[in-house]
């Protein structure tokens, strides 16, 4: 039987070998965190108070922004605590809770991107019934379903972490709480915790396939439109979502590949790629929608220049 020293807290890690530069590294991290909060917070404020944005497309965008804010606000305290204060100690319950929230929101985000693809599919294939098919009650059902799928699917690998003995080093390799990081320290049979994440990756892969399939059908519909100008206009409404989809899944695939095949890559690269996965999509999504969506641009102008918007 393994000796159980689980009472000892875990120790988070910043950037090994760069501890003296942590204060400098914290500057871009703080700037990114602030930008994520500002950008997504602005989108949520606009969608909440601008009546012209009370449409299914922007409700789904609000779900995406809430998910991005959730990831940012969950990871920010431990990352900045390590970089600013060198505060590395974290107790098991806090660690497991943060890991649960982080992984849950990753599944939720995949589901939201799939729902946004469904919204674009309906808007282009059957525009006259778009709002009647995606009613407020239907939006709530989709949102609750996506949230429940994320919450329930992450329970099986996280709950056993509370009872595993941790008799190896308690030093973790990141400043954020990840299932795949802590499971390496467990002195127990962790076969299930190795297999189950593969199932979750497969489900996320199915989400991406369904998004791609929806765009194949969208493209087929657009090509059937007689007017070239109308075809371009229909495709343009999809650009923002496609960009967000590519940003999220490309960073997820990159992180998976470097964990799977990058054994000889410096550890600092693994850490940096993890932060790219957590921070780059939440940073880019508001920028993408602000640049590519005319209604968002007009909403921002109305918010900051109300006199000009009425003139």
């Amino acid at each position: 039987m393994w000796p159980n020293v689980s009472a000892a807290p875990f120790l988070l890690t910043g950037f090994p070998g760069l501890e003296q530069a942590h204060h400098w590294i914290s500057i871009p991290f703080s700037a990114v965190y602030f930008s994520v909060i500002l950008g997504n917070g602005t989108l949520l404020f606009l969608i909440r108070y601008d009546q012209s944005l009370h449409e299914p497309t922007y409700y789904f965008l609000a779900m995406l922004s809430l998910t991005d804010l959730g990831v940012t606000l969950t990871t920010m305290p431990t990352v900045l605590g390590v970089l600013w204060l060198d505060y590395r100690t974290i107790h098991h319950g806090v660690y497991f809770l943060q890991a649960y929230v982080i992984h849950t929101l990753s599944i939720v985000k995949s589901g939201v991107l799939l729902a946004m693809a469904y919204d674009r599919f309906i808007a282009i294939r059957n525009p006259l019934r778009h709002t009647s098919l995606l009613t407020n009650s239907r939006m709530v059902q989709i949102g609750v379903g996506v949230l429940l799928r994320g919450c329930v699917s992450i329970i099986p690998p996280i709950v056993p972490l509370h009872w595993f003995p941790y008799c190896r080093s308690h030093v973790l390799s990141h400043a954020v709480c990840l299932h795949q990081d802590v499971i390496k320290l467990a002195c127990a049979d962790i076969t299930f915790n190795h297999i189950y994440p593969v199932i979750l990756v497969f489900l996320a892969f199915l989400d991406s396939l369904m998004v791609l399939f929806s765009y194949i059908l969208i493209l087929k519909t657009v090509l059937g439109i007689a007017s070239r100008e109308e075809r371009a206009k229909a495709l343009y409404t999809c650009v923002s979502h496609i960009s967000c989809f590519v940003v999220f899944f490309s960073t997820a695939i990159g992180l998976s590949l470097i964990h799977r095949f990058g054994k000889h890559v410096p550890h600092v690269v693994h850490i940096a790629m993890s932060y790219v996965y957590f921070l780059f999509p939440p940073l880019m999504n508001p920028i993408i929608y602000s640049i590519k969506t005319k209604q968002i641009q007009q909403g921002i102008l109305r918010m900051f220049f109300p006199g000009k918007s009425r003139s």
Side-chain angles (χ1 to χ4, degrees):
M1 186 173 180
W2 295 102
N4 191 346
V5 291
S6 296
F10 295 126
L11 295 176
L12 300 169
T13 299
F15 289 85
L18 299 174
E19 287 82 4
Q20 298 301 317
H22 273 183
H23 285 90
W24 293 106
I25 296 172
S26 71
I27 295 174
F29 270 85
S30 301
V32 170
Y33 278 128
F34 176 77
S35 299
V36 169
I37 294 171
L38 178 63
N40 287 283
T42 301
L43 280 182
L44 288 171
F45 181 85
L46 277 176
I47 295 167
R48 172 65 178 85
Y49 290 103
D50 194 322
Q51 294 293 324
S52 67
L53 300 179
H54 290 183
E55 298 177 5
T57 299
Y58 302 107
Y59 291 146
F60 282 125
L61 177 57
M63 295 180 195
L64 184 67
S65 290
L66 282 171
T67 305
D68 285 338
L69 275 177
V71 172
T72 300
L73 294 176
T74 301
T75 59
M76 182 168 59
T78 53
V79 174
L80 294 184
V82 171
L83 296 178
W84 280 351
L85 308 172
D86 195 31
Y87 188 79
R88 299 175 56 202
T89 302
I90 184 168
H91 295 285
H92 292 199
V94 177
Y95 187 96
F96 300 146
L97 178 61
Q98 189 187 109
Y100 174 77
V101 173
I102 289 173
H103 292 297
T104 293
L105 291 177
S106 294
I107 300 296
V108 169
K109 188 168 186 176
S110 178
V112 170
L113 289 170
L114 176 58
M116 294 174 79
Y118 174 68
D119 167 71
R120 290 296 83 210
F121 172 76
I122 296 296
I124 292 176
R125 293 274 290 195
N126 204 344
L128 297 178
R129 299 188 61 197
H130 182 218
T131 54
S132 62
L133 288 174
L134 289 174
T135 60
N136 288 341
S137 61
R138 182 66 58 82
M139 297 289 296
V140 171
Q141 291 172 0
I142 292 174
V144 171
V146 167
L147 181 61
L148 284 177
R149 186 185 74 154
C151 292
V152 173
S153 62
I154 297 299
I155 289 176
I158 296 296
V159 169
L161 298 179
H162 290 270
W163 292 286
F164 283 159
Y166 298 97
C167 54
R168 300 189 177 101
S169 168
H170 279 52
V171 179
L172 298 153
S173 59
H174 293 78
V176 293
C177 306
L178 303 173
H179 168 267
Q180 61 266 32
D181 198 11
V182 72
I183 203 66
K184 298 174 184 177
L185 308 182
C187 300
D189 183 0
I190 55 174
T191 303
F192 174 79
N193 287 72
H194 278 306
I195 295 174
Y196 190 82
V198 176
I199 299 173
L200 294 180
V201 170
F202 177 73
L203 291 177
F205 178 70
L206 285 181
D207 284 353
S208 65
L209 284 182
M210 293 174 69
V211 170
L212 292 174
F213 180 68
S214 70
Y215 274 105
I216 291 173
L217 295 179
I218 288 172
L219 184 60
K220 182 180 177 181
T221 301
V222 170
L223 292 176
I225 299 174
S227 169
R228 182 176 180 180
E229 184 177 328
E230 289 296 319
R231 287 201 299 267
K233 185 178 179 181
L235 285 175
Y236 188 78
T237 63
C238 301
V239 170
S240 298
H241 173 257
I242 292 173
S243 301
C244 292
F245 169 77
V246 170
V247 166
F248 175 69
F249 280 99
S250 61
T251 54
I253 292 171
L255 182 63
S256 298
L257 289 177
I258 201 167
H259 276 305
R260 182 74 61 180
F261 303 109
K263 295 180 180 179
H264 302 293
V265 175
H267 182 61
V268 69
V269 177
H270 287 255
I271 296 174
M273 192 62 204
S274 297
Y275 291 128
V276 168
Y277 170 74
F278 286 119
L279 295 177
F280 188 64
L283 175 66
M284 291 304 300
N285 291 341
I287 296 173
I288 290 169
Y289 270 90
S290 298
I291 293 174
K292 295 294 185 181
T293 307
K294 188 175 181 180
Q295 291 89 332
I296 297 292
Q297 295 172 2
Q298 292 173 342
I300 293 173
L301 288 175
R302 283 192 293 269
M303 182 172 66
F304 290 105
F305 305 103
K308 288 187 176 182
S309 66
R310 288 193 295 266
S311 60

